[in-house]
């Protein structure tokens, strides 16, 4: 090697295919200046002198930016998804920490029902009270004899059985004047008084009170008589007395 060869730079021969090939020059002849900007028409058509407008440059399309690929692999059934962490923006407050879960509240048992109050002691039944004794009444006949009235009675000269009064005590009245009918009247006790019924007698029945007031006893309309009253069966007089 000579000194002249040392001064020349060393050449590096690139491998085949790395040097771009240059396109061959365009050998198409350029049209004359007189025909530039004109439109050539087909044969047989006259040129109207239209001037060709220069073609406007077309904008180069810009490809839309592709979204950035996620920085974590998609989750799969065998590989759980890993949480992604994003850096906090300066000036923004950090998210508050998640409060711990509250401990489970044990179930509260319902309150027990109040104890039943003891039943009040049984009140002993009141002793039976004796009903006031009714006053026993009696009939005093003209001869002075007295007949206590303890039930229903039929009065007359010769009283017989009568429908509605079966079982009643039959009392014969000795009436020499024969003003009393055979079955003249009926008497039945009613508490402290008597009820007198006229049995459609011939001479009728009359009641005279202790005050001297008199009232006839019509058949089917009994009247109440009390101690001290007087009954007139025809001309036969019967006094009502209290004997007990």
């Amino acid at each position: 090697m000579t000194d002249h060869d040392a001064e020349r730079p060393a050449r590096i021969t690139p491998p085949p295919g790395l040097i771009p090939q240059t396109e061959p020059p365009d050998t198409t002849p350029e049209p004359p200046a007189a025909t530039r900007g004109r439109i050539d028409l087909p044969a047989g058509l006259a040129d109207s002198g239209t001037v060709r407008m220069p073609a406007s440059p077309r904008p180069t399309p810009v490809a839309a930016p592709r979204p950035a690929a996620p920085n974590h692999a998609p989750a799969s059934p065998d590989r759980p998804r890993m949480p992604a962490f994003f850096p906090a923006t300066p000036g923004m407050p950090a998210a508050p920490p998640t409060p711990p879960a509250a401990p489970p509240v044990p179930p509260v048992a319902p309150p027990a029902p109040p104890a039943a109050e003891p039943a009040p002691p049984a009140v002993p039944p009141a002793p039976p009270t004796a009903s006031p004794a009714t006053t026993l009444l009696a009939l005093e006949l003209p001869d002075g004899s007295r007949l206590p009235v303890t039930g229903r009675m039929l009065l007359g000269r010769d009283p017989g059985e009568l429908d509605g009064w079966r079982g009643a005590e039959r009392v014969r009245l000795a009436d020499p004047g024969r003003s009393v009918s055979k079955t003249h009247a009926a008497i039945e006790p009613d508490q402290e008084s008597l009820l007198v019924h006229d049995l459609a007698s011939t001479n009728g029945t009359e009641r005279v009170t202790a005050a001297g007031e008199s009232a006839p006893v019509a058949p089917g309309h009994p009247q109440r008589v009390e101690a001290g009253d007087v009954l007139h069966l025809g001309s036969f007089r019967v006094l009502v007395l209290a004997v007990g």
Side-chain angles (χ1 to χ4, degrees), residues 92-98:
M92 294 185 64
T98 304

Side-chain angles (χ1 to χ4, degrees), residues 137 208-211 226-230 239-242:
L137 299 179
V208 179
T209 65
E226 299 176 349
D229 293 347
V230 176
L239 177 63
V240 180
L241 296 175

Side-chain angles (χ1 to χ4, degrees), residues 130-138 148-151 188-194 224 227 241-244:
S131 57
T134 57
T135 302
L136 180 62
L137 299 179
V149 181
T150 57
E188 58 180 340
D190 183 23
Q191 296 182 358
E192 296 184 357
S193 60
L194 301 176
R224 188 180 303 278
L241 296 175
V243 295

Side-chain angles (χ1 to χ4, degrees), residues 155-223:
L155 306 178
R157 285 186 297 106
D158 188 11
E161 291 288 340
L162 191 65
D163 292 340
W165 293 92
R166 296 186 181 278
E169 180 183 359
R170 291 179 287 178
V171 178
R172 291 184 178 184
L173 301 177
D175 178 23
R178 301 177 65 89
S179 62
V180 178
S181 300
K182 292 182 62 175
T183 307
H184 192 107
I187 293 177
E188 58 180 340
D190 183 23
Q191 296 182 358
E192 296 184 357
S193 60
L194 301 176
L195 288 178
V196 179
H197 303 259
D198 183 82
L199 301 179
S201 62
T202 302
N203 296 314
T205 304
E206 183 182 22
R207 171 204 175 196
V208 179
T209 65
E213 298 175 356
S214 61
V217 180
H221 297 278
Q223 288 198 24

Side-chain angles (χ1 to χ4, degrees), residues 76-108:
S76 62
D78 299 335
R79 181 179 180 183
R81 184 184 297 274
M82 299 299 294
F85 298 92
F86 300 92
T89 304
M92 294 185 64
T98 304
V105 180
V108 180

Side-chain angles (χ1 to χ4, degrees), residues 62-74:
V62 181
R66 295 184 179 179
N71 57 356
H72 58 276

